[in-house]
Amino acid sequence: MNTLFIMMMLAVFGCSKSKSVPPVVTPPATYKDPAQYGTPFANVPATKDIVMYEINEKTFTPANFQGVDARLDSIKALGVNVIWLMPTYPIGVLKASGSPYAVKDYEGVNASFGTLDDLRALVAKAHALGMAVILDWEANDTSWDNAWITAHPSWYMQDASGNIQQLSTYSDVAALNFNNFDMRTALIRAMKYWVFTANIDGYRCDFADNSPTDFWTQALDTLNTISTHKLIYLAEGTKGTEISSGFQISYAFSYYSTLKSLYAGTTSPSGLFATNTAELASLPSPGVKLRYITNHDDASSDGSTINEYKGKQGALSAFVIATYMGGIPLIYDSQEVGYPSAINFFNTVPVDYTANPDMVAAYKKILAFRAAHEAVKVGTLTPYTDASVVAFEKKSGTDDVLIVVNTGNSTVNYAVPAGVQGSWIDGMSNTATTLSSLLSLTPYQYVVLKKN
């Protein structure tokens, strides 16, 4: 009956928001949403103002909620106003790989990180500091020892013999069946659960491209019925349909790949501008891209930003480009202190958060300049092409900024376009400067200017 119902529902309501969508999930009389814990956060930032910080609990000491709690003041001091907590749920042990995305209980707390009260305390402190909190969400699969496996086998994809199937090549997780209305309902109720039970402010949704578009529409439409909360939705997605489904932010995979290639010497600044233009052109309004120089996946597979971008100065210069060209900036914990090695997020990897205070100070200045300038956040971009220098101007009303970054490992004399020669103020030192026809840039130097 459930399968017939969902087939009828899809036939009636369609599969995408551009047509019509499945209805919101209305709890039956026997189901009550949890009581609201705490006071909903009133200062969730507008999307354009978000500066996001991804927290891998396993890089903190101790590697739990209390370890994170102890560093919230330092995170806030960077200029962060949204923190994203990597999965906080119990991890499965059957067929396990150690992945935190093998969720054993969508409404549980990973005991190695602490208790529900510890999570609530972390959220409450973040709110008191002016930071919103979003949780990581895995909607495509569960661990093999999730209670749903035995209680609701029809909630999973099965072969002709009735055997539950793994998700793609991931042997540690079982693929969920989105044709099952009861499964969808349970997922969405669990998403609502954390909004009420831990007073969170939204979700980063893992592998969003792998879940049906109409599921995301249904889930987010349902969450939006919670009128007491302003919620943030970030999709690890690239199709554009995630924005049409209700997400405000999606991943900038292409931009990240091209930025890496630029520092590897296999593409040019014009290639980065082309990727930027193409990526934004494919994004439905009012969506924005999450721009980053690393995250938990990339820090695991690609290694440290110190190696990827040719040193501390290179990492900072890459962050300037990604943060100022457009979109929402992300810091993955460890990058601000220049952690020198790869971080396998399946493992506990303690990071020395007292290292490289010069880098921390630079990140603060970079983000403070962004916060002060609407031109950086939403201004019109004018690129200035060069073989080795990324240079662009952004304007919003009277706000006018100029960014010039040497992406190579040798000193260059940049030919300054005639239209931007003249008087400026250095955005990092707040001192007056004058641009003439040539600007000498040391390896990986960045120059951030605002109109005098």
Side-chain angles (χ1 to χ4, degrees):
M1 186 166 107
N2 289 328
T3 300
L4 178 61
F5 179 87
I6 193 66
M7 289 175 66
M8 292 173 61
M9 183 182 72
L10 292 174
V12 172
F13 291 101
C15 296
S16 71
K17 199 164 187 175
S18 62
K19 299 175 184 177
S20 51
V21 299
V24 299
V25 171
T26 303
T30 55
Y31 173 82
K32 302 284 186 192
D33 285 325
Q36 174 66 54
Y37 177 83
T39 302
F41 186 47
N43 297 312
V44 175
T47 303
K48 69 179 179 63
D49 296 322
I50 289 174
V51 175
M52 191 174 294
Y53 188 95
E54 180 185 5
I55 288 178
N56 174 358
E57 296 87 352
K58 294 182 179 181
T59 67
F60 290 79
T61 303
N64 56 30
F65 295 136
Q66 292 182 352
V68 175
D69 188 281
R71 287 209 51 80
L72 286 179
D73 291 276
S74 297
I75 293 168
K76 173 64 178 180
L78 288 170
V80 170
N81 52 26
V82 175
I83 60 173
W84 148 22
L85 297 176
M86 285 184 65
T88 54
Y89 320 101
I91 299 172
V93 296
L94 184 62
K95 300 185 183 181
S97 66
S99 170
Y101 292 92
V103 178
K104 186 176 181 180
D105 179 2
Y106 281 113
E107 295 184 5
V109 174
N110 186 334
S112 66
F113 294 158
T115 65
L116 173 60
D117 283 342
D118 293 327
L119 175 59
R120 285 170 164 173
L122 172 58
V123 173
K125 181 173 180 179
H127 286 170
L129 290 170
M131 294 186 291
V133 181
I134 65 173
L135 298 187
D136 224 325
W137 189 257
E138 173 55 73
N140 310 291
D141 52 71
T142 74
S143 71
W144 290 96
D145 45 3
N146 189 298
W148 291 2
I149 291 279
T150 53
H152 306 289
S154 64
W155 291 10
Y156 293 86
M157 300 301 294
Q158 300 178 17
D159 64 16
S161 300
N163 300 306
I164 294 175
Q165 300 296 288
Q166 70 182 42
L167 177 68
S168 184
T169 59
Y170 304 105
S171 60
D172 61 334
V173 289
L176 289 168
N177 175 15
F178 284 91
N179 287 327
N180 189 293
F181 180 74
D182 288 342
M183 187 282 293
R184 286 178 173 234
T185 300
L187 271 181
I188 295 169
R189 285 180 185 167
M191 295 180 81
K192 292 178 71 180
Y193 172 86
W194 291 109
V195 175
F196 292 117
T197 302
N199 201 24
I200 64 155
D201 308 296
Y203 288 99
R204 175 266 182 186
C205 295
D206 188 69
F207 202 6
D209 283 349
N210 196 56
S211 299
T213 298
D214 72 306
F215 167 73
W216 289 125
T217 302
Q218 187 180 26
L220 303 188
D221 281 355
T222 301
L223 288 173
N224 288 337
T225 64
I226 306 174
S227 60
T228 51
H229 288 256
K230 176 183 176 182
L231 299 174
I232 298 167
Y233 306 123
L234 163 63
E236 187 187 26
T238 60
K239 296 178 180 177
T241 52
E242 67 275 6
I243 302 300
S244 303
S245 299
F247 288 95
Q248 301 108 338
I249 314 165
S250 66
Y251 267 45
F253 282 109
S254 297
Y255 188 89
Y256 170 70
S257 178
T258 306
L259 187 64
K260 283 196 305 177
S261 298
L262 178 61
Y263 279 78
T266 57
T267 194
S268 65
S270 61
L272 184 65
F273 286 123
T275 296
N276 180 65
T277 299
E279 196 171 64
L280 297 181
S282 68
L283 189 68
S285 179
V288 297
K289 284 293 186 181
L290 184 76
R291 292 281 170 82
Y292 50 89
I293 63 170
T294 191
N295 57 40
H296 68 276
D297 286 314
D298 301 311
S300 182
S301 61
D302 298 342
S304 167
T305 58
I306 300 301
N307 296 322
E308 194 171 356
Y309 301 102
K310 317 303 181 186
K312 289 165 58 174
Q313 185 63 32
L316 288 169
S317 69
F319 185 72
V320 166
I321 294 171
T323 298
Y324 291 171
M325 194 175 288
I328 300 304
L330 173 74
I331 294 177
Y332 174 53
D333 63 26
S334 78
Q335 80 177 67
E336 78 272 25
V337 294
Y339 187 75
S341 304
I343 295 177
N344 184 334
F345 63 89
F346 289 20
N347 303 325
T348 298
V349 182
V351 168
D352 179 6
Y353 283 100
T354 67
N356 293 318
D358 56 329
M359 289 190 74
V360 174
Y363 273 102
K364 289 179 180 179
K365 288 183 178 181
I366 293 166
L367 291 174
F369 186 84
R370 181 188 188 275
H373 291 278
E374 289 299 292
V376 175
K377 301 175 195 173
V378 297
T380 300
L381 176 77
T382 301
Y384 298 110
T385 57
D386 184 85
S388 59
V389 172
V390 172
F392 55 92
E393 188 175 13
K394 296 187 77 174
K395 293 182 179 180
S396 176
T398 59
D399 193 17
D400 185 357
V401 302
L402 179 68
I403 314 300
V404 185
V405 182
N406 180 6
T407 60
N409 61 0
S410 59
T411 298
V412 298
N413 289 315
Y414 173 61
V416 179
V420 295
Q421 294 175 23
S423 298
W424 294 85
I425 295 175
D426 187 298
M428 299 294 101
S429 65
N430 207 36
T431 57
T433 188
T434 300
L435 283 183
S436 58
S437 59
L438 287 178
L439 176 63
S440 180
L441 297 165
T442 58
Y444 306 112
Q445 181 182 356
Y446 55 91
V447 175
V448 176
L449 305 172
K450 58 183 178 180
K451 203 64 176 180
N452 193 342

